[in-house]
Amino acid sequence: MFADFLRRLTDPAPAQLPDTDARLALTALLVRVARSDNDYSGAERSRIQGIISDRYGLDDGARDALLEDAETLEAEAPDTVRFTRSIKEAVAYDDRLAVVEALWKVVLADGERAKEEDALLRLVVNLLGITDMDSAQARKRVAG
């Protein structure tokens, strides 16, 4: 299942992803950032659960299934650069901007900004085609 999904996502000219696939790809990106400091904490996982519940209006069962699939996809996904660039090509700007705000929520979930998380978030924001100003505003909304 994930091999075909990744093949479609990393196609040289990917089509816009259907909503369910975009949810999976963006949730996997949240997981990747949370895992970047090698401490995928309960607080970060809970924050991701809250984000996907709120953003997609999912019940607990659907939320947990999406997160489990995203965790598996993240582990199988190619390097961050290719994975994130693929998302940029297949997901609308507003959805990518919303995920940047969600990424800030995950990074700040455990009360610490690990240097690994900060570095990966800067890279991901750039690869998603989000401006530094939009990212900074997203971080301020989350922190405030």
Side-chain angles (χ1 to χ4, degrees):
M1 171 181 143
F2 294 116
D4 179 57
F5 178 81
L6 287 168
R7 198 172 12 266
R8 285 184 292 123
L9 184 63
T10 57
D11 185 272
Q16 284 286 105
L17 289 176
D19 189 49
T20 55
D21 288 351
R23 289 177 183 187
L24 178 59
L26 294 172
T27 303
L29 192 55
L30 293 172
V31 171
R32 177 147 300 178
V33 168
R35 288 179 170 168
S36 67
D37 64 353
N38 297 314
D39 180 24
Y40 184 39
S41 71
E44 290 169 326
R45 192 170 199 279
S46 292
R47 182 62 55 98
I48 293 171
Q49 287 174 315
I51 289 166
I52 59 180
S53 288
D54 292 346
R55 182 165 171 77
Y56 304 125
L58 302 176
D59 63 32
D60 291 353
R63 173 204 67 202
D64 292 344
L66 173 58
L67 182 53
E68 185 177 313
D69 286 348
E71 289 168 340
T72 301
L73 176 64
E74 186 281 327
E76 296 178 14
D79 64 272
T80 300
V81 172
R82 283 191 353 193
F83 184 52
T84 307
R85 280 189 179 149
S86 299
I87 291 171
K88 176 186 175 193
E89 299 303 319
V91 177
Y93 186 86
D94 288 343
D95 289 331
R96 288 181 278 133
L97 181 56
V99 90
V100 166
E101 187 167 320
L103 287 167
W104 278 114
K105 289 178 182 177
V106 172
V107 166
L108 300 172
D110 58 6
E112 297 179 25
R113 284 181 57 184
K115 63 183 178 186
E116 298 89 353
E117 291 171 326
D118 271 347
L120 183 57
L121 191 55
R122 280 192 303 274
L123 174 66
V124 166
V125 165
N126 183 19
L127 293 172
L128 286 174
I130 303 299
T131 67
D132 289 338
M133 180 172 287
D134 283 346
S135 176
Q137 289 173 345
R139 180 182 43 79
K140 287 177 184 175
R141 284 190 299 273
V142 170

